[in-house]
Amino acid sequence: MTRYQHLATLLAERIEQGLYRSGERLPSVRNLSSEHGVSISTVQQAYHILEDRQLISPQPRSGYFVTPQKSQPPVPALTRPAQRPVEITQWDAVLEQLTGREDSGSIAFGSGFPDVTQATIKPLWREMSRIVQHQEPEILGYDCINGKQVLREQIARLMLDSGCVVTPDDIVVTTGCHEALSIAIRAVCEAGDIVAVESPCFHGTMQMLRAFGIKVVEIPTDSETGISVEALELALEQWPIKAVILVPTCNNPLGFIMPDARKKAVLNLAQRFDIAIIEDDVYGELAYEYPRPMTIKSLDVDGRVLLCSSFSKTLAPGLRVGWIVPGRYFDRAMHMKYIVTGSSTTFTQMAVAEFVRNGHYHRHLRRMRQHYQRNLDVFTCWVRHYFPCGICVSRPQGGFLMWIELPEHIDIVPISDTLRQHNIRIAVGSLLSASGKYRNCMRLNYALPFNAETETALRNMGEVIGHIFENG
């Protein structure tokens, strides 16, 4: 953290603690410079950060003042889905959401797209350019089913950070995490089976289950600690569940990191009822805490955890480089990989492997963690400032997605239609439920740049929602 970032954090904490009260004038730039032994430009940069976060505001010839703040909105309560096997719906709405990617004129708050504009990604461009310029013949050929050895070696080293000790031969490279999840589901389930999922749950996973003819039991989930172990145990006692699908680290969409004790408890249940765990760790490397949290896979002693991940959220989704560590289901996973795609793209595997091997990946991760954490602070302030009172907002511990819950009588689906007329696209909460729950919720991507255009879009969103509050 730089000096000005450290100073901004210190001042923000003082404001949050009430040491600088709402409307109070802050110390002058010169006084803060003298007090903290930093340059005037450092203080000015710190004040600019606080101004971006709308914690302070300048007044001509008077200095900076603490901006009057609404109280911090509460976090969403424990979700309460229908705890019985259901068939998945929502495909038409999900398809409409996905086709919206083609609308370049819209602000895509509903996407799961990372920020791919940071300077730390430039070495990847150089590596791709070098491979093309050398016209290496292997980039035009078929690869092995399980992916390039050099990439699997780098992935195995990366997984040590999450507590996993695996060999390159334990890993199967996939075309993104989406394919990894698809392989995992088909490796352990058949049509007519039942799986348990967190609620809300990533809509891509839901639609895979729908396509494979698998029913879902949605399990109550806490926005800060994850899936309810008690509710999961009850469901396992009631239904012949084959697997549980989890995003325990930097969850999509709630942003929580499941405590280690709860991860162990879920694994114990899986062992007791002899089911598989499909662990989606695609956001795991973006945890704001360091070192990054351990995976459930790192606790696995009998190969029942299938870990799925990719570089789609940490680097770029267009690379289509992911992987699965399928444990005891390895042979089945290899067969599924063969019948779906055969081999993955060689070119991007080679480029990513060199990017990681040369140390660029860890530098990029450090940059993105700081960037997303700062964005979270700014977007949370904007939501608190522009949205009406009575909402609940998740407090993500990593990644770049937040969950906003409105009162139950508010239907965001027609609000979403109105927002599209303002070139604003959101992800309605019902997309992330098997039965179409959470129509009063939305998922928001805060990887978008915090510029005037983004702020204006959030202000417009808040005004539309506020109008519904007043007249609904």
Side-chain angles (χ1 to χ4, degrees):
M1 186 179 294
T2 63
R3 287 185 177 182
Y4 71 85
Q5 288 173 326
H6 183 272
L7 180 58
T9 300
L10 177 64
L11 294 173
E13 289 174 352
R14 290 180 177 179
I15 292 171
E16 292 291 339
Q17 294 166 0
L19 300 178
Y20 294 130
R21 294 184 297 276
S22 178
E24 181 180 345
R25 185 178 185 274
L26 291 165
S28 69
V29 172
R30 289 188 181 277
N31 285 345
L32 272 183
S33 172
S34 176
E35 177 185 348
H36 293 276
V38 297
S39 67
I40 287 177
S41 64
T42 296
V43 178
Q44 289 172 331
Q45 286 177 300
Y47 273 172
H48 287 325
I49 289 178
L50 297 178
E51 192 177 352
D52 285 338
R53 292 168 57 181
Q54 296 193 344
L55 290 176
I56 67 173
S57 55
Q59 294 186 13
R61 295 185 294 278
S62 298
Y64 287 90
F65 291 78
V66 178
T67 304
Q69 297 289 326
K70 293 181 180 177
S71 60
Q72 185 83 343
V75 297
L78 179 75
T79 61
R80 300 194 177 279
Q83 296 175 64
R84 63 180 186 277
V86 297
E87 294 183 354
I88 297 163
T89 56
Q90 307 299 313
W91 166 238
D92 290 341
V94 170
L95 181 60
E96 195 281 330
Q97 175 80 16
L98 296 175
T99 54
R101 293 173 179 171
E102 302 173 3
D103 187 359
S104 59
S106 294
I107 299 179
F109 286 113
S111 75
F113 203 87
D115 185 343
V116 296
T117 66
Q118 298 299 308
T120 48
I121 210 169
K122 288 182 179 179
L124 180 63
W125 286 108
R126 291 197 295 269
E127 189 57 41
M128 290 192 289
S129 177
R130 183 194 66 79
I131 293 171
V132 171
Q133 288 174 358
H134 282 72
Q135 297 183 2
E136 299 182 25
E138 65 180 298
I139 69 173
L140 299 180
Y142 287 119
D143 186 32
C144 299
I145 297 174
N146 58 338
K148 296 200 70 63
Q149 173 79 13
V150 63
L151 176 62
R152 288 184 282 115
E153 289 174 354
Q154 296 306 317
I155 291 172
R157 292 189 178 103
L158 291 176
M159 290 185 65
L160 290 171
D161 291 340
S162 67
C164 286
V165 180
V166 299
T167 71
D169 291 339
D170 297 323
I171 298 167
V172 179
V173 175
T174 61
T175 306
C177 191
H178 206 84
E179 185 187 38
L181 290 167
S182 173
I183 289 172
I185 292 168
R186 284 183 291 182
V188 301
C189 298
E190 298 177 350
D193 284 343
I194 302 170
V195 303
V197 299
E198 300 156 320
S199 184
C201 175
F202 169 50
H203 57 69
T205 301
M206 290 287 198
Q207 294 306 316
M208 289 181 214
L209 295 169
R210 179 181 187 269
F212 301 149
I214 298 169
K215 292 185 178 181
V216 164
V217 178
E218 296 182 83
I219 307 297
T221 302
D222 185 88
S223 64
E224 296 183 291
T225 57
I227 196 168
S228 167
V229 177
E230 296 77 15
L232 177 60
E233 182 177 17
L234 182 62
L236 290 169
E237 290 171 346
Q238 287 184 296
W239 310 102
I241 292 171
K242 293 290 290 290
V244 57
I245 303 176
L246 302 170
V247 189
T249 306
C250 309
N251 175 267
N252 172 11
L254 294 172
F256 62 78
I257 294 175
M258 186 186 293
D260 290 348
R262 189 165 294 205
K263 292 176 182 176
K264 294 174 184 176
V266 170
L267 181 58
N268 288 339
L269 280 180
Q271 291 168 338
R272 176 179 152 198
F273 288 92
D274 193 24
I275 66 168
I277 295 176
I278 298 174
E279 180 176 13
D280 180 350
D281 191 52
V282 72
Y283 294 93
E285 296 281 10
L286 295 176
Y288 301 147
E289 65 181 53
Y290 185 83
R292 63 145 293 172
M294 68 179 186
T295 57
I296 300 176
K297 181 67 178 177
S298 69
L299 306 170
D300 183 23
V301 294
D302 55 2
R304 69 178 62 251
V305 179
L306 301 90
L307 183 136
C308 304
S309 191
S310 80
F311 294 99
S312 294
K313 307 304 180 182
T314 54
L315 281 176
L319 296 170
R320 309 315 299 141
V321 177
W323 65 92
I324 179 173
V325 185
R328 63 167 73 168
Y329 304 98
F330 185 87
D331 291 342
R332 178 75 172 160
M334 283 285 280
H335 188 211
M336 292 299 103
K337 174 69 191 306
Y338 174 69
I339 64 175
V340 175
T341 56
S343 61
S344 298
T345 304
T346 305
F347 171 53
T348 51
Q349 287 188 64
M350 294 169 61
V352 171
E354 285 303 300
F355 183 80
V356 177
R357 189 179 69 83
N358 292 323
H360 300 302
Y361 185 62
H362 279 108
R363 284 193 288 273
H364 177 69
L365 283 178
R366 286 195 295 271
R367 168 71 176 178
M368 299 316 296
R369 291 182 192 119
Q370 293 174 356
H371 177 64
Y372 292 142
Q373 192 166 18
R374 183 186 176 197
N375 274 23
L376 173 61
D377 291 341
V378 173
F379 274 68
T380 300
C381 287
W382 281 346
V383 168
R384 185 169 60 182
H385 184 70
Y386 294 123
F387 281 46
C389 295
I391 65 171
C392 295
V393 182
S394 66
R395 294 173 190 163
Q397 297 169 273
F400 47 82
L401 301 170
M402 68 167 62
W403 184 254
I404 299 175
E405 180 184 290
L406 279 63
E408 288 190 7
H409 70 278
I410 302 294
D411 188 348
I412 292 185
V413 175
I415 293 177
S416 175
D417 295 337
T418 301
L419 291 174
R420 277 200 295 273
Q421 299 173 15
H422 295 272
N423 293 322
I424 299 170
R425 286 187 171 268
I426 62 173
V428 177
S430 56
L431 300 180
L432 293 92
S433 167
S435 56
K437 281 181 62 67
Y438 312 121
R439 290 178 68 95
N440 62 316
C441 301
M442 73 174 82
R443 189 188 72 178
L444 193 72
N445 182 334
Y446 56 87
L448 301 178
F450 54 92
N451 52 28
E453 182 182 20
T454 306
E455 182 179 8
T456 299
L458 271 175
R459 183 191 298 117
N460 291 339
M461 194 186 307
E463 289 175 354
V464 170
I465 294 172
H467 179 73
I468 300 296
F469 265 62
E470 293 173 3
N471 300 280

